[in-house]
Amino acid sequence: MNPKTFLWLAGCLVALLSPARGAGFIVIEQPLPAPSGRPPFAQLEVTSHHVAVKIDGQVAVTSIEQEFSNPNDQRLEGTFMFPVPKDAHIDKFSMEVGGKMVEAELLPADKARQIYEDIVRRMRDPALLEFAGRDLFKMRIFPIEPHSRKPIKITYTELLPATSGAVTYTYPLSTQKFSAQPVTSLSLKVELKTDQPLASVYSPSHKVEIRREGANQAVVGYESKDGKGENDFQLVYGTTAQEVGLSLVTEKPDASDDGYFLLLAAPTVPKEAKPAPKDIVLVVDTSGSMAGAKLDQARKALSFCVENLNAEDHFEVIRFSTEAEPLFGKLVAADTDDRRRASDFITGLKPMGGTAIADGLTSALKLRPEKSERPFVVIFLTDGLPTVGTRDPEQIVADAKKADGVRIFSFGIGSDVNTQLLDQIAESTRGFSQYVLAEEDLEVKLSNFYTRIKEPALTNIRLDFAGSVRTSKIYPAALPDLFKGDQLVITGRYQGSGEVEARLTGLAAGREQTLTYKVRFEDRKTGNDFVPRLWATRRVGFLLDEIRLHGETNELRDETSQLARKYGIVTPYTAYLIVEDEARRDVPTAARSLQQMTTDTAARNEVARAWTGFKEKKVGEDGVANARSQNLFKYAEQAGPSIAAGTAESLRGITRMEAPAAPGESDRIRQYAQQSKFVNGRAFFQNGNQWVDSTAQSSSRREHIQFNSDAYFALLQKHPEAAPWLALGQNLLLALDNTVYEITD
């Protein structure tokens, strides 16, 4: 083959694979070489990609509209390929190309794999190996006219798998990462309908919007305009005849180790139900520092809460500055007159004086009735440190802990708050804390939060398993209350296997209630590798919080670095711990996770300084950034999005330290934090053009294999599970069967 023709061919493959965001991609197989002196090829583009899914019970109908654009002067001919979603059993498939119905050929996984391997051999690009092991629909596409658009529509029907009360839907969005540029319009909408009432509706892969429409229906939406997908889209849902549904998802990557579980608990939506009454106290800081926009937003946010009280609720409003001033002096019914008085009181709030945090909290806690079974909620807003009355944070936290059955939800406004104090108050009472920056809208954050907790479904929750399975390291450790329209996402470890009885106990409408379920803990790998990583994300958040709140120990450092390396949880702080741990253990440089940071003295010093600040800083913009980052880890509902968001928060804190990093150093730290991928249950770190397997440090035997050689494909035949790892690139350090394979181009 003429070298120019080969290079043009390779360029075509990259170009035509790159923009194929989502469902499928096009491979140009016999292009003509570009005329002399002209660029070989301009990338094929995807101008839009829209997915509509209708699920009825366990039957899903997926409809895809994808539009390709050819910006070149040449007419093209190619093959459109659609990898079947993993574990899907498709019984109906149709395609429309340019307004005409066409026939697509379904290839079983073994034949599809051969096609992928042939393309890899010809084009020297292993990216398609990710889909080896899946069935494949393919069809010829001709012509793709120059400067034209080629719309493609696909519809397929599949039966969704169900285990332990959880049904899973998967859509192959991971092909997005082939895109050199983001698609201009990507959306996915799922209309979900079930016979029994819906309980949990959860995506482990993407942050989605979920809208309930009655007891048996929900609509799930996801949109992106500038993201490159690394993961397939997944949706997990469960149904139940009980008031609260419970679904279990398990994963046991290694037969010799503990398993991991994800448990989803969600109340159903009753057709007619009176909201459970609650007692709620709104406490607002009106010290002088709240003047201006802070207090304006606080007034609007508190007014929203008062307007949205349920008829049977009791409430009080307390303002505090140098002293605390309750409005009523007691809990009152949420009738029209008292709501009007509360609204007038909130409108008249004035900023002045100091910050008596202890008095504000004490005044709220005194209102808790002694023998009431109603949930008692305190929403606490402050922008400062305690300057009047009790100022000892430990004493303030101890006093809050004494109030049995109280939930305190803290909102820190601005950057002059004691984050450790607010975090400890919230966690010790099964609440949580949020931090609102100067450029953010307190009214939006508080109103969204209040809408979530408006109707309690089950409070003072306990979870027990009766049987041969032993669970441990459950997060959150103290289970929060469950509210209507919300759900609990619980992760943990387990030993043993088999079907057991799960018992969920709590207070419903003031009376203790125990709900029982049959669930199954598997003793095998199930392919749900998002479960261990989600658990590890929360565990790392817990460990870092122990260091931040109670001090650093070798045990906490070692476990944090080990989990961060194993699951690709890379932030500036965990990167520092990983580098220091590997240096201490004298890991060979070629097997280290972050080799460039190891020798980058400036960046290494910067993350060391940031780590010191993480342990010591309680206030200031970097202290708030650390607290926000920690919350994203501790309460993560999806591992990938939470790690990315938590990393962004910690990087924001580093750039706002008292002596911030130089711009170049900050950019390098950001790059190091982004040089990892979690693929098929393993973390890989990018060092130059090589990807390093995080498990390679435990193997001593090494073998060199040239990419695209017969030995390379023989390794793939022997270890088909390695296909997604080999798809990372031509230069790879990969551990298999106690051997480290060094694959080089």
Side-chain angles (χ1 to χ4, degrees):
M1 178 186 293
N2 183 293
K4 290 184 178 180
T5 304
F6 176 80
L7 289 174
W8 195 85
L9 249 170
C12 286
L13 178 67
V14 173
L16 287 168
L17 287 180
S18 295
R21 295 176 63 94
F25 43 84
I26 296 176
V27 176
I28 302 300
E29 298 198 353
Q30 292 182 337
L32 296 175
S36 177
R38 280 181 45 192
F41 192 71
Q43 291 190 358
L44 198 71
E45 300 171 357
V46 172
T47 55
S48 65
H49 177 199
H50 301 291
V51 185
V53 187
K54 292 188 176 182
I55 301 176
D56 192 341
Q58 288 180 238
V59 177
V61 179
T62 302
S63 300
I64 306 157
E65 294 187 9
Q66 195 172 10
E67 187 177 70
F68 293 85
S69 175
N70 177 13
N72 298 279
D73 294 332
Q74 301 99 326
R75 172 187 286 186
L76 301 177
E77 178 179 1
T79 301
F80 179 86
M81 296 186 175
F82 178 81
V84 173
K86 189 177 180 181
D87 299 325
H89 299 283
I90 295 178
D91 59 7
K92 187 183 296 183
F93 186 94
S94 63
M95 284 188 65
E96 181 182 324
V97 180
K100 297 180 180 180
M101 295 301 298
V102 296
E103 288 289 332
E105 180 184 6
L106 173 62
L107 299 177
D110 55 346
K111 292 185 178 180
R113 176 173 174 167
Q114 188 59 53
I115 288 178
Y116 290 140
E117 289 185 16
D118 288 344
I119 295 174
V120 171
R121 288 178 188 272
R122 293 201 318 269
M123 302 304 180
R124 301 182 58 78
D125 185 348
L128 291 184
L129 292 181
E130 176 186 340
F131 306 110
R134 299 191 190 185
D135 295 347
L136 172 71
F137 280 98
K138 76 180 189 75
M139 65 154 295
R140 301 289 294 172
I141 301 287
F142 180 81
I144 306 175
E145 298 289 354
H147 303 290
S148 68
R149 296 186 175 187
K150 179 68 70 173
I152 295 177
K153 295 182 180 180
I154 303 171
T155 300
Y156 62 88
T157 304
E158 62 180 311
L159 180 65
L160 304 179
T163 56
S164 294
V167 182
T168 302
Y169 170 82
T170 302
Y171 178 75
L173 266 183
S174 63
T175 52
Q176 288 184 89
K177 62 175 168 281
F178 293 125
S179 178
Q181 294 182 348
V183 70
T184 54
S185 178
L186 168 68
S187 66
L188 189 147
K189 178 182 178 182
V190 181
E191 297 180 38
L192 179 58
K193 179 182 177 183
T194 55
D195 293 332
Q196 284 194 327
L198 267 172
S200 56
V201 181
Y202 166 74
S203 173
S205 58
H206 295 74
K207 291 192 73 67
V208 296
E209 179 185 5
I210 300 172
R211 186 177 74 249
R212 301 281 186 141
E213 297 184 346
N216 299 66
Q217 298 184 61
V219 177
V220 181
Y222 172 75
E223 290 187 5
S224 174
K225 292 187 180 299
D226 58 1
K228 289 187 177 181
E230 294 290 343
N231 303 304
D232 288 345
F233 175 85
Q234 291 177 291
L235 186 70
V236 179
Y237 61 93
T239 61
T240 184
Q242 301 194 69
E243 296 90 344
V244 176
L246 189 142
S247 303
L248 181 72
V249 181
T250 65
E251 174 72 342
K252 199 165 188 214
D254 188 342
S256 62
D257 197 6
D258 293 354
Y260 302 80
F261 72 88
L262 166 69
L263 188 139
L264 304 170
T268 57
V269 180
K271 294 180 180 178
E272 293 183 6
K274 198 174 184 180
K278 63 182 178 295
D279 296 334
I280 183 165
V281 183
L282 306 171
V283 185
V284 58
D285 182 348
T286 59
S287 60
S289 58
M290 285 286 290
K294 291 180 184 177
L295 192 55
D296 289 341
Q297 289 190 25
R299 291 190 192 101
K300 294 177 183 178
L302 293 173
S303 296
F304 176 89
C305 295
V306 170
E307 291 168 4
N308 284 274
L309 289 166
N310 297 323
E312 300 299 320
D313 290 344
H314 293 164
F315 79 107
E316 169 67 298
V317 182
I318 298 173
R319 71 134 198 105
F320 72 91
S321 54
T322 305
E323 70 290 314
E325 179 191 349
L327 169 59
F328 302 107
K330 61 180 180 179
L331 292 171
V332 299
D335 59 30
T336 303
D337 289 340
D338 285 333
R339 287 196 205 195
R340 186 180 301 113
R341 285 184 61 190
S343 296
D344 292 342
F345 180 76
I346 291 167
T347 301
L349 293 175
K350 305 286 189 207
M352 63 181 67
T355 309
I357 284 180
D359 287 351
L361 279 174
T362 301
S363 298
L365 298 178
K366 285 180 179 177
L367 298 173
R368 167 75 162 143
E370 289 187 8
K371 297 184 179 180
S372 174
E373 298 295 342
R374 295 157 63 104
F376 189 89
V377 175
V378 176
I379 298 179
F380 187 78
L381 283 68
T382 183
D383 79 329
L385 309 172
T387 60
V388 178
T390 303
R391 304 179 194 181
D392 180 8
E394 292 185 4
Q395 184 61 52
I396 296 173
V397 173
D399 291 341
K401 286 182 178 179
K402 294 176 184 177
D404 184 50
V406 174
R407 304 290 182 261
I408 301 177
F409 299 96
S410 303
F411 284 79
I413 307 168
S415 58
D416 293 327
V417 294
N418 186 327
T419 58
Q420 293 188 14
L421 171 62
L422 297 187
D423 286 350
Q424 288 180 301
I425 289 172
E427 290 196 14
S428 66
T429 61
R430 295 199 192 188
F432 58 82
S433 52
Q434 293 191 52
Y435 297 93
V436 186
L437 302 178
E439 63 270 20
E440 295 179 327
D441 193 327
L442 170 64
E443 181 187 1
V444 171
K445 284 210 166 187
L446 182 54
S447 59
N448 287 341
F449 158 77
Y450 185 77
T451 301
R452 276 182 56 196
I453 67 152
K454 186 179 178 183
E455 295 187 32
L458 201 64
T459 61
N460 293 350
I461 295 175
R462 302 191 311 274
L463 175 66
D464 303 291
F465 296 100
S468 58
V469 173
R470 179 177 173 272
T471 59
S472 63
K473 297 180 180 177
I474 295 175
Y475 299 104
L479 298 183
D481 298 333
L482 181 59
F483 300 91
K484 292 178 182 177
D486 204 3
Q487 64 185 349
L488 296 183
V489 180
I490 303 167
T491 60
R493 304 289 301 268
Y494 70 91
Q495 294 177 329
S497 62
E499 187 176 85
V500 302
E501 182 180 84
R503 294 191 294 260
L504 199 64
T505 303
L507 296 177
R511 290 181 293 183
E512 185 168 275
Q513 183 176 359
T514 298
L515 303 169
T516 60
Y517 313 83
K518 292 292 185 182
V519 296
R520 183 173 185 81
F521 288 84
E522 300 289 350
D523 61 352
R524 59 184 177 84
K525 184 174 175 62
T526 58
N528 297 314
D529 55 43
F530 64 86
V531 178
R533 197 184 192 208
L534 179 60
W535 173 86
T537 301
R538 290 185 171 188
R539 176 70 176 172
V540 165
F542 166 79
L543 294 170
L544 289 176
D545 239 24
E546 286 293 299
I547 293 172
R548 185 170 70 106
L549 299 176
H550 306 297
E552 181 179 356
T553 67
N554 290 336
E555 291 79 6
L556 291 173
R557 280 177 59 117
D558 291 347
E559 186 178 356
T560 301
S561 61
Q562 185 267 333
L563 288 173
R565 179 173 50 249
K566 182 176 181 180
Y567 292 101
I569 305 170
V570 183
T571 74
Y573 308 125
T574 60
Y576 167 75
L577 294 177
I578 290 170
V579 168
E580 295 299 305
D581 171 68
E582 292 178 348
R584 179 180 57 81
R585 293 189 291 112
D586 200 24
V587 174
T589 301
R592 293 193 183 186
S593 306
L594 298 163
Q595 297 165 23
Q596 291 170 308
M597 180 180 277
T598 301
T599 57
D600 187 341
T601 304
R604 192 166 173 177
N605 289 340
E606 194 59 46
V607 292
R609 190 165 67 93
W611 173 247
T612 300
F614 173 80
K615 294 182 291 182
E616 297 177 354
K617 289 287 287 185
K618 302 177 183 179
V619 299
E621 294 196 26
D622 49 334
V624 171
N626 289 335
R628 285 163 58 109
S629 175
Q630 281 301 103
N631 283 339
L632 287 163
F633 284 97
K634 290 186 298 182
Y635 305 116
E637 294 197 357
Q638 300 89 13
S642 294
I643 292 169
T647 300
E649 281 293 340
S650 56
L651 284 167
R652 185 181 62 81
I654 288 176
T655 59
R656 299 192 181 191
M657 290 191 297
E658 293 177 0
E665 293 171 10
S666 178
D667 291 342
R668 289 204 306 279
I669 293 171
R670 179 177 289 104
Q671 291 172 4
Y672 292 136
Q674 295 172 344
Q675 290 177 339
S676 67
K677 288 185 179 181
F678 189 74
V679 179
N680 199 32
R682 287 194 192 180
F684 291 80
F685 294 85
Q686 188 177 22
N687 291 284
N689 67 347
Q690 184 186 54
W691 286 95
V692 177
D693 184 348
S694 62
T695 68
Q697 297 177 8
S698 59
S699 301
S700 57
R701 184 172 178 271
R702 299 178 74 90
E703 183 175 336
H704 179 268
I705 292 181
Q706 185 176 346
F707 168 72
N708 228 20
S709 64
D710 290 341
Y712 176 85
F713 288 100
L715 180 67
L716 179 60
Q717 292 289 336
K718 182 180 179 182
H719 292 280
E721 76 281 4
W725 305 325
L726 294 173
L728 284 169
Q730 300 174 355
N731 294 277
L732 181 68
L733 213 62
L734 177 64
L736 295 168
D737 287 345
N738 297 317
T739 299
V740 174
Y741 293 94
E742 184 177 3
I743 297 167
T744 58
D745 183 17

